[in-house]
Each structure stands twice: as structure tokens, then as C-alpha cells.
Amino acid sequence: MTEQLRLMAVHAHPDDESSKGAATMAKYVSEGVDVLVATCTGGERGSILNPKLQGDPYIEENIHEVRAKEMDEAREILGVQQEWLGFVDSGLPEGDPLPPLPEGCFALQDVDAAAEPLVRLIRSFKPQVITTYDENGGYPHPDHIMTHKITMVAFDAAGDPEKYPEAGEPWQPLKLYYNQGFNRSRTVALHEALLARGLDSPYGEWLERWKDSGRPERTLTTYVPCADYFEIRDKALIAHRTQIDPDGGWFRVPMDVQKEVWPTEEYELAKSLVDTSLPEDDLFAGIRNN
């Protein structure tokens, strides 16, 4: 295949692109692949998770603008393009019973209508490969689940000339993946490697909760080697400074341990219109040289 390779990553909020598949994207950018992040919402209802910035009145009053600037910085670090789909963050409801979602938010939109801007973007950018979340959202945030829903609709509709006729010339992506970087195999391997080295592990309680949740294992089909880009991933994540504490648990595993023990990012192949052999080490397997 001589055509330019293009990858689209569909995410719910600014910062999701840097915590899920960022090293993969940086690797493909370095290889000359065009990479576009589609961000569904502005993260307007996201909490300020970095304790060093909590209580800052400017950030609290201007969170949308602040998070957009953070996204600009992360985008530059990763070398990707990025587009906003323009939906409003739904927030993460808490309580028992859960409160209703805010009126007008992303998760309450009609799925077919909400898929239209993504179809338009797919037809414009023409990706062969799309990544997004599984049906559980990776974790059950309403915006992540809605991101999954609109991506599934858009993947099929983008190539259908009878669907969304005002959204541009049809283009059919060839492969769709779910991000599965937060998988149990990786977590166990890093946890055991840290303990074997006499180091503290941030994953002990996480693994206990995982066991108690009864959450089924996902099928990992694709392991992209990208350890050389872990530093870029972390730099991009730290750019989302309202969301990430650089001294927090995200960064407690030494980089040399990460690279040695688990040098890949993982995906679950959800749809493919090309022949490929599993497991894969390339999101474009079956597309390159075809």
C-alpha cells in the first residue's frame, strides 16, 4: 500500500489521549503516519485532580479554557493533530442513587445525531484505523460509554453514501480497536516486578478491587511495541496539569522497569475489513503493503 497511513483516536475528554495509547500515537507519528485525536467534549465538568492546583479560583472559573490550553500543549508534545467534536462534558455522577445527568450533556444526546460530527471528521481525515473505548467505556464514565456508541455508529456509517449525505464523501475505515492499556496482565506483571525488586507497588489495592469486582478479562489482540515513546507519553500527560499530579501514582513505576517488563500498549481488535493474523504488533497489520 503506497497511500498515506492515517490513524484516528476518538476520546471523551482532553487528557484521555495522553493516558490511553499516547506512546502508540507518538510511535506512529515518528514513522510518518498522520494521527488525529477527536475529542468529544471539552472536559468542562472535570474535577481538578492535581492537589497542587485545587482551590485556584482562576482555574475553577475558567476550567474549559484551561483544559483547552493543556490539550494544545499535549498535542504539540505528541505531534498529533486534534479536533473538538463540540459536546459538553457530562461529569461523573456520584451518590446512591446516582443523580441525573446534566441537561444538554454529551451522554444524553441522541446517538445517531451525535455521531454526525464524527462521521464528518472521518470522511474528511480518511483514517484507515480508528481507536476508541469498549462498550464499558474502559471504565463506566457516561462520556466514555457515549464515545464508544457514536464511534461504532460512525465507523459503519462513514462508508455508506446513504447515511449522513450532508457530511461529505463516503470513506470506509478498515479497522476499529478498543484501547485496553489498563489490562490485568500488565498490572500484575508490573506489580510483581516491583515487589521482586524490593520496591513499593501502587497496584496492590487496585488488583484487590479488580478481583472483588468480578470484571471479566478482555481479549487482547494487539501489542504495539512503543517503549521508546513512554517518556513522550508521560510528558504529554503531565501537560494536563489540572488532571495529573506529577508526583502521584501514575509515575511511581520507574521507567526502566516499565520498559523492561511491559514495553507495549495493548488493544482489542473489534472490527476488521481486512485479513490479519492475531496476535498483532501493528494497528495497520493487513493494511500495509496491501
Side-chain angles (χ1 to χ4, degrees), residues 16-284:
D16 286 326
E17 85 294 327
S18 295
S19 62
K20 304 166 189 67
T24 298
M25 292 193 295
K27 165 192 164 69
Y28 283 125
V29 167
S30 77
E31 295 174 356
V33 175
D34 286 342
V35 180
L36 173 65
V37 172
T39 311
C40 293
T41 80
E44 303 90 343
R45 290 192 169 96
S47 301
I48 300 171
L49 301 178
N50 185 344
K52 300 178 182 66
L53 300 181
Q54 289 170 353
D56 185 315
Y58 176 82
I59 294 176
E60 292 177 352
E61 293 171 14
N62 300 277
I63 189 66
H64 191 186
E65 178 184 340
V66 169
R67 295 199 71 181
K69 288 181 177 178
E70 292 174 348
M71 183 70 245
D72 287 344
E73 185 176 341
R75 182 192 69 234
E76 291 294 326
I77 291 166
L78 294 172
V80 301
Q81 304 170 57
Q82 188 260 343
E83 296 283 349
W84 303 96
L85 294 191
F87 296 103
V88 176
D89 189 347
S90 305
L92 183 60
E94 295 179 311
D96 186 14
L98 291 174
L101 292 173
E103 183 177 351
C105 71
F106 178 44
L108 293 181
Q109 301 303 306
D110 175 81
V111 172
D112 289 336
E116 192 274 343
L118 183 55
V119 170
R120 187 178 296 274
L121 191 58
I122 290 170
R123 289 176 176 176
S124 172
F125 183 63
K126 298 179 170 58
Q128 295 94 354
V129 176
I130 295 177
T131 66
T132 191
Y133 316 131
D134 62 35
E135 66 277 8
N136 300 310
Y139 77 106
H141 190 298
D143 285 336
H144 285 239
I145 294 170
M146 187 64 166
T147 298
H148 163 81
K149 290 178 179 178
I150 71 164
T151 307
M152 301 306 288
V153 170
F155 182 90
D156 291 334
D160 186 344
E162 296 184 1
K163 300 288 182 62
Y164 305 95
E166 304 300 318
E169 291 296 316
W171 172 266
Q172 180 58 60
L174 299 176
K175 298 176 84 175
L176 175 68
Y177 288 92
Y178 299 150
N179 299 295
Q180 296 295 357
F182 299 117
N183 59 78
R184 191 175 186 280
S185 298
R186 172 184 180 273
T187 307
V188 168
L190 290 172
H191 176 71
E192 292 179 347
L194 290 167
L195 297 182
R197 289 164 171 78
L199 301 172
D200 291 334
S201 169
Y203 299 125
E205 291 185 8
W206 191 355
L207 288 170
E208 284 299 315
R209 289 197 303 270
W210 208 321
K211 182 173 63 177
D212 295 340
S213 73
R215 196 168 84 185
E217 293 291 315
R218 303 295 304 198
T219 300
L220 305 179
T221 63
T222 309
Y223 298 74
V224 178
C226 52
D228 290 345
Y229 302 90
F230 284 177
E231 287 93 349
I232 294 176
R233 172 204 65 195
D234 286 1
K235 187 177 178 183
L237 192 54
I238 289 171
H240 292 283
R241 51 189 58 82
T242 61
Q243 304 302 299
I244 298 295
D245 180 359
D247 300 318
W250 277 98
F251 308 106
R252 283 176 57 194
V253 181
M255 186 59 69
D256 62 323
V257 175
Q258 294 184 51
K259 291 184 174 184
E260 176 187 342
V261 174
W262 205 270
T264 61
E265 289 182 337
E266 291 72 56
Y267 298 84
E268 177 183 351
L269 180 61
K271 292 192 175 201
S272 181
L273 304 182
V274 297
D275 291 332
T276 185
S277 298
L278 302 180
E280 306 169 319
D281 62 4
D282 179 13
L283 300 182
F284 293 93

